[in-house]
């Protein structure tokens, strides 16, 4: 596929700071395209439809799956569904634009099959304790939700070696620098 080499999957456990890192990268290198996912999760305070996610209901998500509108999708944390809009990503790749998919482990595995040229990057926390601290510090999840996210995180951390590259997210600046080098920006 034309331009498929410029696809990058960024995955990693909840609260590791993927979103912050990707936002900082986009800010410093606006030529990068970051795919905007579709989700059935309700927006968090401050999240904007079409910017952070496309927030949709279950029926709309079902229709997207049925019409082959998603490149991959998964139910994350056993709760809400998230998916990557197919058309926008393929158009960017065809135009040679470096494209980032910030998706979970299940999605990364699907992309590994359908787009094997994509570079797969895992963002890891400096330690498990630090990950728990970051999740608690975010304060956007209920205790139940936090427990569920930590359980998923434990499983995801065990799969880091499936990825082409593991970057330990100690500071945002340092992680962004490593991504810039990897993508060749
Ligand atoms: P959050 O609810 O914290 O925004 O995201 C929860 C998880 O969903 C994160 O691990 C994130 O990487 C993942 N995610 C976001 N968008 C997608 C997507 O389009 N596909 C998949 N498979 N996972 C996604």
């Amino acid at each position: 596929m034309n331009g498929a080499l410029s696809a990058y999957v960024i995955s990693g456990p909840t609260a590791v700071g993927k979103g912050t890192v990707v936002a900082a990268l986009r800010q410093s290198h606006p030529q990068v395209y970051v795919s905007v996912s579709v989700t059935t999760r309700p927006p968090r305070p401050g999240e904007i439809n079409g910017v952070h996610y496309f927030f949709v209901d279950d029926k709309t998500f079902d229709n997207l799956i049925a019409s082959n509108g998603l490149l991959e999708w998964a139910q994350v944390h056993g709760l809400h569904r998230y998916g990557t809009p197919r058309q926008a990503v393929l158009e960017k790749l065809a135009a040679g634009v470096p494209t980032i998919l910030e998706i979970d482990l299940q999605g990364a595995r699907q992309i590994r099959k359908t787009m094997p040229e994509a570079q797969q990057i895992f963002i890891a926390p400096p330690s498990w304790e630090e990950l728990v601290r970051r999740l608690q510090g975010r304060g956007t999840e209920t205790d139940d939700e936090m427990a569920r996210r930590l359980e998923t995180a434990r499983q995801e951390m065990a799969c880091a070696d499936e990825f082409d590259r593991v970057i330990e997210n100690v500071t945002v600046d340092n992680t962004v620098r490593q991504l810039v080098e990897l993508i060749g920006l």
Side-chain angles (χ1 to χ4, degrees), residues 12 18 37 41 44 53 72 74 76-77 82-84 102-104 107 138 149:
K18 301 176 300 260
S37 298
R41 164 168 84 59
R44 293 192 189 120
Y53 284 104
E72 61 73 37
V76 182
H77 307 303
Y82 298 75
T84 304
E102 195 240 278
I103 59 180
D104 86 321
R138 189 159 77 179
R149 280 172 181 258

Side-chain angles (χ1 to χ4, degrees), residues 139-165:
T140 48
E141 277 81 19
T142 62
D143 284 354
D144 259 13
E145 231 177 307
M146 253 189 310
R148 194 162 25 217
R149 280 172 181 258
L150 284 174
E151 174 53 24
T152 310
R154 202 184 51 74
Q155 293 165 14
E156 289 183 334
M157 295 278 289
C159 301
D161 61 3
E162 287 180 18
F163 287 74
D164 298 318
R165 176 84 181 262

Side-chain angles (χ1 to χ4, degrees), residues 74-130:
Q75 183 162 6
V76 182
H77 307 303
L79 204 57
H80 301 297
R81 291 183 291 173
Y82 298 75
T84 304
R86 178 186 299 276
Q87 198 180 341
V89 168
L90 294 189
E91 279 174 10
K92 294 292 178 186
L93 289 175
V97 177
T99 296
I100 291 178
L101 311 182
E102 195 240 278
I103 59 180
D104 86 321
L105 175 67
Q106 305 168 76
R109 286 175 170 162
Q110 292 171 51
I111 297 294
R112 207 170 292 150
K113 290 209 181 95
T114 56
M115 214 183 262
E117 310 88 342
Q119 284 270 331
Q120 299 244 345
I121 302 154
F122 189 88
I123 308 284
S127 66
W128 178 257
E129 290 70 27
E130 176 60 16

